[in-house]
Amino acid sequence: MTSDEQRWRLIRGDCLAGMAALPERSFDLAIADPPYGAATASEWTLAGGHELPRFGGAWRLADHDWDRLAGVDGLRFTLAWLSSLGRLVKPEGSIWIHATYHNAGIVNVACQALGLEIINEVIWYKRNAFPNLSRRRLTASHETIYWVHTGGPRRRRYRFNYDAARAAAFDGDALKEPGRQLRTVWDVPNNKSREELAFGRHPTQKPLRLLERIFLVAGTPGGRFLSPFSGSGSDLVAAVRAGMHATGFEIDERYHAIAARRLAALPRG
Ligand SMILES: C[S@@+](CC[C@H](N)C(=O)[O-])C[C@H]1O[C@@H](n2cnc3c(N)ncnc32)[C@H](O)[C@@H]1O
């Protein structure tokens, strides 16, 4: 485990085993960015080559072992980590779950099966989405984020920073005006700053500005944040910046190392 007791702790290992050891209702907010099942074992050769100058330089299709999620085993795995989050997150808090069309149905069914009410389904619109290299599908330009709570349908006590969300404006997002309610479509470019990539990259790294919006809507300054699938630590970094104590799990040594270095480099507020 790597930690800075005052602000964060990052555990290298399986989140299922790790979460089982944590006390119930001990977190105010969780963000899960799980394996999506989007990886393919196929070998691809692209007619136009693999060079994509406007998309971060030379780029190769990659098959990620950690991104396997198939069939009934995928549903069982989703039920396992989601029921742990349901046990660990207070009814006054909430859980946000990233998904694409590969796993969104499974996550939705799992929420309903576990009695976790879906508050909203947010569409993260990526106006600079990666082109479809195979030229056999539309360009996938959005991801789904489920916002759910643990209080059950008759006990809605989850935190919603309504006034802050209503007052906010976001650079370049024409769908949100200050003083108007925040909608469920968020126009957030999938760009990462040099600072976000300073310690290495994760293939599905989330941009900080997307996570900052989640903390604006549902963060609890001074509270506790949980990330079961931390990857390069983007949500942990956003949590610490939002004044929350962050706990994360990452099973892969390379990504754990990136996240630990990002966290250690955060300036003290
Ligand atoms: C979609 S990625 C998260 C990316 C992250 N949001 C970021 O911005 O870098 C999912 C991560 O979960 C990790 N993972 C997969 N199964 C895990 C498990 N059982 N316990 C902990 N981490 C796991 C993978 O190694 C991968 O880094």
Side-chain angles (χ1 to χ4, degrees):
M1 182 174 73
T2 320
S3 78
D4 167 345
E5 275 311 318
Q6 302 297 316
R7 301 191 296 167
W8 54 269
R9 65 186 181 131
L10 178 62
I11 298 111
R12 194 194 145 209
D14 176 20
C15 65
L16 292 180
M19 288 195 290
L22 297 173
E24 68 178 79
R25 299 188 174 195
S26 50
F27 289 91
D28 301 279
L29 182 68
I31 298 177
D33 189 10
Y36 288 3
T40 164
S42 329
E43 294 280 330
W44 290 37
T45 305
L46 301 175
H50 291 258
E51 301 293 320
L52 288 171
R54 284 186 299 112
F55 290 87
W59 190 85
R60 291 206 160 263
L61 284 167
D63 177 32
H64 310 298
D65 285 342
W66 55 261
D67 196 30
R68 301 263 181 263
L69 185 83
V72 175
D73 284 344
L75 176 59
R76 280 199 196 100
F77 176 63
T78 304
L79 285 166
W81 61 256
L82 197 50
S83 62
S84 284
L85 291 181
R87 186 180 71 80
L88 294 173
V89 174
K90 300 172 189 169
E92 297 80 12
S94 62
I95 307 168
W96 296 69
I97 307 155
H98 295 277
T100 59
Y101 66 88
H102 308 87
N103 67 326
I106 289 178
V107 170
N108 190 315
V109 167
C111 287
Q112 296 189 53
L114 296 170
L116 298 169
E117 189 181 39
I118 297 173
I119 303 164
N120 276 125
E121 179 193 54
V122 171
I123 300 301
W124 168 27
Y125 166 52
K126 299 188 261 191
R127 81 178 92 119
N128 61 339
F130 214 76
N132 183 267
L133 300 178
S134 72
R135 303 177 192 178
R136 290 165 63 93
R137 299 181 189 222
L138 303 178
T139 302
S141 312
H142 76 278
E143 293 191 18
T144 302
I145 310 174
Y146 288 109
W147 182 23
V148 313
H149 73 100
T150 61
R154 281 180 210 86
R155 305 220 58 190
R156 297 192 180 111
R157 290 180 281 163
Y158 60 86
R159 182 181 177 103
F160 177 20
N161 302 323
Y162 176 85
D163 291 335
R166 190 166 187 269
F170 306 102
D171 197 18
D173 183 349
L175 298 171
K176 176 66 174 80
E177 290 173 35
R180 298 273 174 124
Q181 290 189 343
L182 180 58
R183 297 165 188 254
T184 52
V185 180
W186 297 2
D187 176 1
V188 183
N190 192 12
N191 294 334
K192 266 80 70 177
S193 67
R194 192 172 298 176
E195 185 194 10
E196 289 173 73
L197 301 172
F199 299 105
R201 293 163 190 259
H202 188 289
T204 63
Q205 187 166 333
K206 295 289 176 292
L208 275 178
R209 73 179 96 182
L210 174 71
L211 301 163
E212 282 163 0
R213 209 183 277 211
I214 295 176
F215 284 92
L216 174 82
V217 173
T220 304
R224 299 182 68 83
F225 169 74
L226 176 62
S227 165
F229 305 100
S230 296
S232 64
S234 311
D235 48 22
L236 301 171
V237 167
V240 172
R241 284 186 175 183
M244 296 189 73
H245 184 283
T247 297
F249 294 93
E250 172 52 49
I251 206 163
D252 186 302
E253 191 177 356
R254 290 162 300 168
Y255 305 137
H256 175 274
I258 294 172
R261 292 176 68 199
R262 282 181 84 181
L263 287 162
L266 282 174
R268 291 195 165 271

